[in-house]
Amino acid sequence: MLIIGEKLNGAIKSVAEAIRNRDGAFIRGLASRQLDSRADYLDICSGVPEGDADVLGWMIDLIQTDHPDVRFSLDSPNPDTILACLPLCKNPGIINSVSLEGDKIEKILPAVSGEKGWGVIALLLDETGMPETVEKRMESFHRIVERAAEIGVSMDRLYFDPLVFTVATSPDSFLNFIGASRKIREEYPDAHIISGLSNISHGLPSRKTLNHAFLIGAMMNGMDSAIMDPLNRDMLGGVYAAEALLGIDEYCIEYLSAYREDLFGVQK
Ligand code: THG
């Protein structure tokens, strides 16, 4: 499972404050802790419309100084921000995200087609707004696959986010998510499927309980990457446990090694 650490996001109050004060030590600490908890990529999102690219550029420089091998997930609604940050990254990362909304796909896919190693998260979203059915998601999926092929971005570089809404008001939310995941996997067995874990529980109490159930359920139905909090020990444990159950962690080697490193935070 590809783990994208979600913590460096201006939507989190303490991070917003650190960004406002340009508190480098706070940002560097969060980066190091997530990498120690086996995050493969660090999502960075400023959470502000003004000076978005400056904030991300500041974070990239800070974190790369400590961790020259770090890979970023550039998370911005503004394609120009993403394009401005791309050349600042020493290592190929992931773009978060494109969709069929606006001109993102047309701006970003051509720019990354020649950039070796860069991945792209593609939301299964079109001009008509949030998808309510599996069919709508699949329509977007096929259009994105086709456009990416024309531009020269291969399937293995795309991470499809089927989108999930809170189960508080969308009772079919999870079922639609896994419905789309399964169909994608039927058509392309190696396709990458990704999601954030927190939208499912919006407006409900004990969100981590639902997020955890979502993580396991989604993994059992083809999700192979997630934007998540690797510092949440239960959640990280869930990743390793699900991989062991799915038989993709042969002899539980990764599970055992994470346990030995005390990444699950349980008593030995
Ligand atoms: N898909 C894509 N990108 C995304 C999302 C997605 N980017 C944003 C979001 N969803 C994922 N990022 C976050 C970042 C922070 C939190 C939730 C989602 C958050 N974190 C809590 C905190 O740090 O305080 C802790 C949560 C926990 O302990 O589990 O709320 O869906 N493509």
Side-chain angles (χ1 to χ4, degrees):
M1 174 97 151
L2 193 88
I3 297 176
I4 302 183
E6 71 180 15
K7 288 295 220 188
L8 291 168
N9 192 315
I12 300 171
K13 235 176 116 194
S14 54
V15 178
E17 200 178 304
I19 290 172
R20 247 192 328 272
N21 302 331
R22 290 290 192 274
D23 181 350
F26 184 92
I27 300 294
R28 292 166 62 196
L30 265 186
S32 296
R33 284 164 61 212
Q34 292 186 95
L35 293 169
D36 287 346
S37 296
R38 300 204 181 172
D40 299 293
Y41 290 78
L42 298 181
D43 191 77
I44 50 172
C45 176
S46 77
V48 293
E50 295 282 308
D52 188 18
D54 292 341
V55 171
L56 295 192
W58 171 67
M59 288 205 230
I60 291 168
D61 285 344
L62 262 180
I63 298 168
Q64 281 186 156
T65 308
D66 292 345
H67 308 280
D69 297 332
V70 68
R71 290 172 180 249
F72 293 105
S73 154
L74 302 177
D75 190 349
S76 169
N78 183 347
D80 294 323
T81 297
I82 288 173
L83 295 180
C85 292
L86 245 154
L88 307 179
C89 298
K90 287 188 189 145
N91 307 298
I94 287 190
I95 283 160
N96 188 9
S97 54
V98 303
S99 72
L100 296 164
E101 224 182 15
D103 59 356
K104 276 182 166 178
I105 199 162
E106 295 305 325
K107 274 193 160 168
I108 287 177
L109 290 193
V112 291
S113 66
E115 294 275 344
K116 257 199 165 156
W118 277 85
V120 182
I121 297 176
L123 310 181
L124 300 187
L125 177 72
D126 66 12
E127 311 79 355
T128 65
M130 293 305 186
E132 307 234 327
T133 60
V134 172
E135 289 67 36
K136 199 102 185 67
R137 288 171 167 84
M138 293 310 291
E139 253 176 62
S140 294
F141 172 72
H142 289 124
R143 284 178 60 196
I144 293 167
V145 168
E146 196 177 327
R147 195 67 195 113
E150 285 164 4
I151 294 171
V153 175
S154 54
M155 260 321 254
D156 59 313
R157 298 171 63 182
L158 296 171
Y159 293 79
F160 298 98
D161 184 336
L163 299 175
V164 69
F165 312 115
T166 174
V167 71
T169 50
S170 305
D172 294 338
S173 181
F174 175 71
L175 298 174
N176 284 335
F177 181 94
I178 60 168
S181 303
R182 286 185 189 163
K183 278 211 153 78
I184 291 170
R185 282 300 183 95
E186 266 168 41
E187 291 182 30
Y188 296 90
D190 298 328
H192 298 300
I193 295 172
I194 191 164
S195 179
L197 305 184
S198 58
N199 290 347
I200 194 75
S201 61
H202 211 262
L204 288 164
S206 191
R207 295 188 62 178
K208 286 176 188 178
T209 308
L210 272 162
N211 297 352
H212 194 263
F214 172 72
L215 168 74
I216 307 300
M219 285 183 72
M220 295 296 159
N221 286 280
M223 186 171 80
D224 68 348
S225 33
I227 305 161
M228 58 179 277
D229 180 1
L231 306 182
N232 178 332
R233 304 297 183 90
D234 293 334
M235 212 63 92
L236 195 66
V239 168
Y240 287 98
E243 288 196 325
L245 295 178
L246 283 165
I248 51 183
D249 176 11
E250 239 181 310
Y251 305 111
C252 303
I253 286 171
E254 298 295 329
Y255 179 89
L256 289 167
S257 120
Y259 171 76
R260 275 190 218 104
E261 279 180 42
D262 206 18
L263 291 178
F264 303 158
V266 292
Q267 290 293 312
K268 286 193 180 164

